[in-house]
Amino acid sequence: MIPKDIFARIERLRKEINRHNHLYYVEARPEISDFEFDAMLSDLEALEKKYPELKDSSSPTQRVGSDISKGFQQVKHRYPMLSLANTYSFDEVQDFHNRIAKSLSQPWQYVCELKYDGTAIGLTYKNGKLLRAVTRGDGVQGDDVTANVKTIRSIPLTLNGNDFPEEFEIRGEIFLPHAVFDEINQKRNEQGETPFANPRNAAAGTLKQLNPKIVAERKLDCLLYFMLGDSLPYDNHYQNLLKAKDWGFKVPDNIELCKTVEEITNFVDLWDKARRKLPYDTDGVVIKVNSYQQQNQLGYTAKTPRWAIAYKYKAEQVSTTLLSVDYQVGRTGAITPVANLEPVLLAGTTVKRASLHNADQMAILDLHIGDTVFVEKGGEIIPKIVGVDASLRAANSSAFEYITHCPECGTQLIRPDGEAKHYCPNQAGCPPQLKGRVIHFISRKAMDIDGLGEETVDLLFSKGLIKDMADLYDLTYEQLIDLDRFADKSVKNAIASIKQSTKMPFHKVLFGLGIRYVGETTARKLAMHFGLLEKLKEATFEQLIEVDEVGERIAQSIVTFFSDPKNIELIKRLEKAGLTLESESTEGNAATGVFRGQSVVISGTFNRISRDELKELVMQHGGKNTSSVSASTNLLIAGDKMGPAKLDKATKLGVKIISEDDFFELIKQPNT
Ligand code: IVH
């Protein structure tokens, strides 16, 4: 029997969480802290777990994504997903306007909106709940990506109000905000993965991820621009879009009603500049006839509506001369060709270099020395060469041939199967790889040796004082004080921060080693799983792929790393220097079982490890994690910023409360 008030409580929580979700993700004006939000969500999770019969696929708890991966089902669009006719000039906008004037006898209005540069989605709602999310596909049918779309916080799972049609479809653009895109690419770079070319590709790729958990981490967003259905509240696009906003959809404010071509061109001009300040990419303006009745009168061609047009902004492009190509060698040995250009002004900055990505890219462009090339700034961080004016090419100019040997150490390059990049395999002797590894090792996310910087590492290499990271621990005051850049204080600071780094936890050391494809998260998982470097070193490929998030590529890379005697030697020296090569949590011992048979609640935020890792440790040591405090709770591990209600309840019920530090003390003790 479900107690009477439970249903109401669950409903209330869902409503509140939805409201705060909307405040945070759609309106960007949160009213509560993340912590309070999480607390509400975990209360709801607990209730839904306890009363599974009250589960609901539209509940905000369903946004986290499940791990079940399956292919996508193809779904036929109820209304075909058309595209828009493009134009690049105001003359063509005038033509569009003239055509409409010929067909319509009554006055009409346009709605001007920005053209969001992402990937299209059609969302169907039934009785105010998200039923289905389908990609454009071929316009007739697309992929059902509902599970992935549910992880997008700005898309309401249930609608506000009660004046929505029983069933309708709303279409929009899924995109990645710039900040999230940069974050993802930084991570991909760190892990030696090819970064996404631009936010649009990243968004489209993410939406097609088979694992919704990964989608949830990628923080996609969605702007809505089009509604379809039999009984929409208004007879025009503009008012329906505003209504959609009331229901909870993210509809941008920069939408304008216009009557004349002049008003349209003003909108286009205004946003050509202003759009650069938006946190997402836009590539034009969409101009739509507002009234549905007039839209129907104008009708459709096979592919596009006659009542709308897209004015596309030209990506800013300039031409300049290609002077030479440099080949950069990264810390993993990956080679990146970079073009040196005759300096030229583009979108407000002087461009001297452009990325060429890899050998294939260069071959496609068929670049010759001295070529006149077109450079463009797209969504990418570094400008790219998009084309060559071959007509201006000197008859005797020669094509660039991709290098066969490392420009730094002369070793013959390799290109692994299935990879676009070439690599220098001389990990042990190639200077930029050696330096790059030390720079990675001292970086903030690894050993955080802030008394040294990139330039100092360069200097230490050039003076022959270091050859690898282990050498850092042998540096002396006398050696450093002799160097140009150092004075008494900075030497002491450097030595102290090197010494301090020996206290860094095992997973940071592991990340710092710079094993290809082992990023921060993987390093944490590996440290947690194996507990000891000794064990990780001995792990077989099969044992490695059992670890959460470790696939074949990572496993192979780890095996290769530890099969190199030079790396084993390096680790020995790091151990001698006193670095932490085992996880603090298990101290290398088997789990203690201190929590055997106990029901443990974890609440708040923690300093040493994440909440998930803490949960894992509780399990490893025999405990059972539960999310809400009840009479059957044995232990509460209280982190920072814990909700007062939970603490209060635990105190009243006499539940034992311990801190993060207490927890680590407990799991140190041998099993009794
Ligand atoms: S309306 C029938 N409005 O551009 C008209 N589309 O080239 C349906 N897009 O498939 C589209 N911003 O992916 C519309 N404000 C906007 C848009 C927009 C971006 C995309 C959308 C569409 C493509 C058409």
Side-chain angles (χ1 to χ4, degrees), residues 136-352:
R136 164 202 282 279
D138 59 5
V140 177
Q141 56 177 17
D143 286 328
D144 183 334
V145 288
T146 314
N148 284 349
V149 163
K150 277 191 173 171
T151 68
I152 303 175
R153 310 276 162 153
S154 56
I155 294 182
L157 301 180
T158 51
L159 303 183
N160 294 333
N162 48 20
D163 53 351
F164 37 76
E166 190 187 324
E167 185 166 340
F168 69 98
E169 184 174 341
I170 187 161
R171 289 186 181 163
E173 202 80 353
I174 290 181
F175 64 94
L176 268 177
H178 295 142
V180 182
F181 171 73
D182 292 345
E183 216 175 275
I184 291 174
N185 264 359
Q186 196 188 338
K187 211 164 160 190
R188 287 176 80 89
N189 270 326
E190 275 171 10
Q191 300 187 347
E193 291 174 27
T194 317
F196 286 115
N198 54 48
R200 181 180 2 94
N201 288 1
T206 301
L207 198 60
K208 292 294 190 69
Q209 268 283 340
L210 285 173
N211 183 348
K213 269 218 162 114
I214 298 184
V215 183
E217 283 166 14
R218 295 256 181 98
K219 301 190 198 123
L220 293 166
D221 206 338
C222 182
L223 290 167
L224 286 311
Y225 53 62
F226 191 38
M227 233 197 280
L228 294 145
D230 297 331
S231 41
L232 300 180
Y234 297 99
D235 63 359
N236 66 83
H237 173 65
Y238 187 71
Q239 281 180 296
N240 279 332
L241 271 195
L242 294 190
K243 192 76 229 177
K245 212 175 192 170
D246 289 345
W247 295 335
F249 291 105
K250 192 163 185 167
V251 177
D253 291 323
N254 39 38
I255 292 175
E256 226 170 85
L257 280 168
C258 297
K259 285 204 180 78
T260 62
V261 172
E262 196 189 349
E263 283 170 5
I264 295 173
T265 50
N266 284 342
F267 184 92
V268 169
D269 280 342
L270 172 81
W271 282 101
D272 193 8
K273 290 201 181 59
R275 72 196 180 100
R276 294 171 211 275
K277 296 209 175 73
L278 292 172
Y280 47 83
D281 279 347
T282 55
D283 60 347
V285 168
V286 183
I287 305 139
K288 304 172 183 171
V289 169
N290 190 26
S291 139
Y292 290 154
Q293 193 250 324
Q294 287 174 326
Q295 285 185 2
N296 287 336
Q297 236 173 302
L298 291 160
Y300 296 82
T301 70
K303 277 203 212 130
T304 61
R306 288 201 176 89
W307 47 263
I309 196 166
Y311 176 95
K312 298 261 280 199
Y313 290 121
K314 280 181 225 61
E316 257 190 274
Q317 206 182 70
V318 282
S319 69
T320 185
T321 310
L322 172 63
L323 302 174
S324 60
V325 174
D326 283 343
Y327 296 86
Q328 292 177 345
V329 187
R331 81 171 153 88
T332 59
I335 309 287
T336 305
V338 178
N340 292 311
L341 307 166
E342 186 71 50
V344 63
L345 203 66
L346 173 64
T349 50
T350 305
V351 174
K352 292 186 206 133

Side-chain angles (χ1 to χ4, degrees), residues 82-84 113-116 120 136 173 225 286 288 305:
L82 301 174
S83 65
L84 293 167
E113 297 161 24
L114 284 172
K115 189 168 190 302
Y116 321 113
R136 164 202 282 279
E173 202 80 353
Y225 53 62
V286 183
K288 304 172 183 171

